[in-house]
Amino acid sequence: MLLWRTAMMLRYYANEGFRTCLVVQSQDPTAEQLMGSKIGNSLTECAANLSAIKLETSKLLLEPLDRMKKVDAQVNFTQGILEGIVGEELGVLPGMDSICSVLALQKLLHFFSAGRSNSQPEFDVIVYDCNNTEEILRLIGATDRARSYLRYVRDLAEKTDMGRLASPSLLKLVYDSARPNGKTSEGRLSTEIWNEIEQLLEKVSVWFADPSKLACFLIMDPRRSISVSSALRYWGCTTQAGGQICGAFGYTEDPSEMHQEVAQKFLPLSLSFLPFLPNDSSADWSRALSSLSQNAKEQLRNTSTLVYPSVSFDSVQKSVTLFMPGFDKSEIKLYQYRGGSELLIEAGDQRRVIKLPPTMQGKVGGAKFVDRNLIVSIR
């Protein structure tokens, strides 16, 4: 649900001259109240430099289905079965929201494509108001995790009789329907397509880890310990998912209530103040924006600088340091597979694979948790 804190950021970017777009995926009317206009399934201009669009999965299903039908008519993989499916009759199943939102966001962000489409307006800033925090964490880590699944699916396709029989046609059906780089599978071997998909997933993983592309912020009530603890946990979860937190904001009616001990907990992040506003259309945005501190404005503008490294390697000491705020030692599990070439870290309902440099590969010799850092020694 869009709250006034997010709406204030939108208004700030638009007021500074950035072409800004809000993407919502909820039936909650709060976003429309805060934006002061009706938000539909196509881009709606809400104010100068500020547009919005609502994602509805029941409608987003139709375009990929239509693409698959057109490709299937050429390769005849389903022998007409796919053509008989009426998209308007399909209901939304669990998991479809996330998949369809990725396809919709790709049209705006172009993280699959080499360049931008001329048919879509370009935006300097896009704010995605997803259904919940856990969903965006899954989205951030999706492509990196998908690479592991892709490896197993490819083995099934290339090393089993059933896979060798069915996978070439199925692979072309899926690839030509998606056309991630605007290409088709015509005249290309299955091996080339598998390799391109692997490279594409790696490219998108790097995109999500780049704070200049995807900036994440923590927002909390500094007066409430449970709100502070929640922000710390989601800091760690975002890092574990492969994203970067660029800054933290506290909202309160009295800036003097921003306690120094709270700010200390979020170092090296900077904690800035956001003025408190009602969560409705009566907010005085001009007054709110004028009350933003210089520190808050700098945080919102300067997202390209990496605040902290989530993983660092010490080849001399043969150690790996993982920055894991919001967790304690008992919540972190460390595994090692594949002959000592990787580390598997489990925390916050996320599993993260850390590939070791060739000069540091080996068995884990020990691990310790010091000042929010997991330090792993390699033998």
Side-chain angles (χ1 to χ4, degrees):
M1 180 182 74
L2 184 75
L3 298 177
W4 59 264
R5 280 92 69 178
T6 310
M8 183 181 295
M9 294 180 181
L10 284 163
R11 298 280 182 176
Y12 168 75
Y13 285 124
N15 192 59
E16 289 294 301
F18 293 102
R19 293 164 296 179
T20 307
C21 180
L22 167 66
V23 180
V24 296
Q25 193 178 18
S26 172
Q27 294 301 310
D28 190 289
T30 305
E32 294 180 341
Q33 294 176 7
L34 290 173
M35 292 296 100
S37 62
K38 193 76 174 176
I39 302 175
N41 302 131
S42 58
L43 286 168
T44 302
E45 186 173 352
C46 303
N49 295 320
L50 180 57
S51 300
I53 187 172
K54 180 187 292 184
L55 305 183
E56 292 186 333
T57 306
S58 59
K59 297 178 177 60
L60 295 175
L61 282 172
L62 301 179
E63 183 180 348
L65 177 61
D66 184 57
R67 286 187 183 184
M68 292 186 69
K69 286 182 177 181
K70 291 179 180 178
V71 176
D72 187 53
Q74 299 173 358
V75 300
N76 198 30
F77 180 75
T78 68
Q79 299 180 3
I81 299 298
L82 197 59
E83 181 61 33
I85 298 176
V86 180
E88 288 76 7
E89 294 180 346
L90 298 178
V92 179
L93 298 176
M96 287 183 174
D97 292 314
S98 298
I99 295 173
C100 289
S101 67
V102 170
L103 297 177
L105 288 172
Q106 147 62 15
K107 293 182 179 181
L108 295 170
L109 298 171
H110 302 276
F111 42 69
F112 288 160
S113 307
R116 293 185 178 273
S117 170
N118 292 327
S119 62
Q120 287 286 345
E122 292 187 1
F123 294 100
D124 302 309
V125 178
I126 295 176
V127 176
Y128 175 45
D129 185 54
C130 63
N131 290 329
N132 56 69
T133 304
E134 277 67 26
E135 181 178 319
I136 194 64
L137 290 175
R138 297 295 186 208
L139 175 62
I140 291 172
T143 51
D144 192 53
R145 288 18 169 207
R147 293 166 66 187
S148 298
Y149 285 95
L150 180 69
R151 182 167 58 242
Y152 297 127
V153 171
R154 184 172 183 176
D155 284 343
L156 284 172
E158 296 180 342
K159 298 178 181 180
T160 65
D161 293 336
M162 179 183 67
R164 285 189 290 266
L165 178 64
S167 67
S169 297
L170 180 59
L171 181 63
K172 291 181 179 181
L173 173 65
V174 174
Y175 183 86
D176 287 349
S177 299
R179 298 184 67 177
N181 283 321
K183 303 176 183 177
T184 67
S185 63
E186 185 176 357
R188 306 175 66 194
L189 299 175
S190 295
T191 302
E192 296 179 71
I193 299 176
W194 283 116
N195 291 339
E196 182 178 321
I197 295 174
E198 167 67 24
Q199 294 167 5
L200 178 64
L201 291 176
E202 182 177 4
K203 172 186 175 182
V204 179
S205 295
V206 173
W207 191 97
F208 277 115
D210 185 349
S212 68
K213 298 289 194 298
L214 179 68
C216 302
F217 298 96
L218 301 171
I219 302 178
M220 78 203 81
D221 183 345
R223 300 164 298 177
R224 300 172 58 234
S225 60
I226 192 169
S227 180
V228 174
S229 297
S230 178
L232 286 169
R233 171 53 63 96
Y234 281 123
W235 185 10
C237 290
T238 304
T239 303
Q240 176 73 351
Q244 291 286 342
I245 297 293
C246 297
F249 294 96
Y251 57 89
T252 176
E253 296 183 39
D254 184 0
S256 64
E257 295 178 343
M258 295 285 287
H259 301 294
Q260 186 63 30
E261 57 266 27
V262 174
Q264 289 289 331
K265 293 181 179 181
F266 290 90
L267 291 176
L269 297 178
S270 176
L271 179 61
S272 301
F273 161 73
L274 289 179
F276 185 85
L277 291 173
N279 207 34
D280 57 36
S281 57
S282 65
D284 186 343
W285 294 112
S286 298
R287 181 179 179 183
L289 292 175
S290 64
S291 66
L292 276 178
S293 67
Q294 188 61 35
N295 189 36
K297 294 178 181 179
E298 289 178 359
Q299 277 196 191
L300 290 171
R301 293 180 67 99
N302 301 324
T303 62
S304 59
T305 303
L306 183 65
V307 179
Y308 58 91
S310 59
V311 182
S312 57
F313 301 97
D314 188 335
S315 57
V316 177
Q317 299 294 329
K318 291 200 71 174
S319 65
V320 183
T321 301
L322 297 101
F323 184 56
M324 305 191 70
F327 298 112
D328 57 47
K329 184 178 179 180
S330 63
E331 297 175 301
I332 303 172
K333 291 180 173 58
L334 173 64
Y335 304 94
Q336 190 172 39
Y337 303 102
R338 306 190 182 282
S341 63
E342 298 176 350
L343 296 177
L344 176 62
I345 313 297
E346 182 178 318
D349 199 25
Q350 299 274 353
R351 293 191 180 103
R352 187 181 186 189
V353 174
I354 307 297
K355 291 187 177 182
L356 299 176
T359 57
M360 290 183 57
Q361 293 182 3
K363 299 295 183 181
V364 171
K368 57 183 178 180
F369 193 72
V370 181
D371 189 26
R372 302 181 297 178
N373 291 284
L374 178 66
I375 303 174
V376 182
S377 300
I378 307 297
R379 292 184 299 197

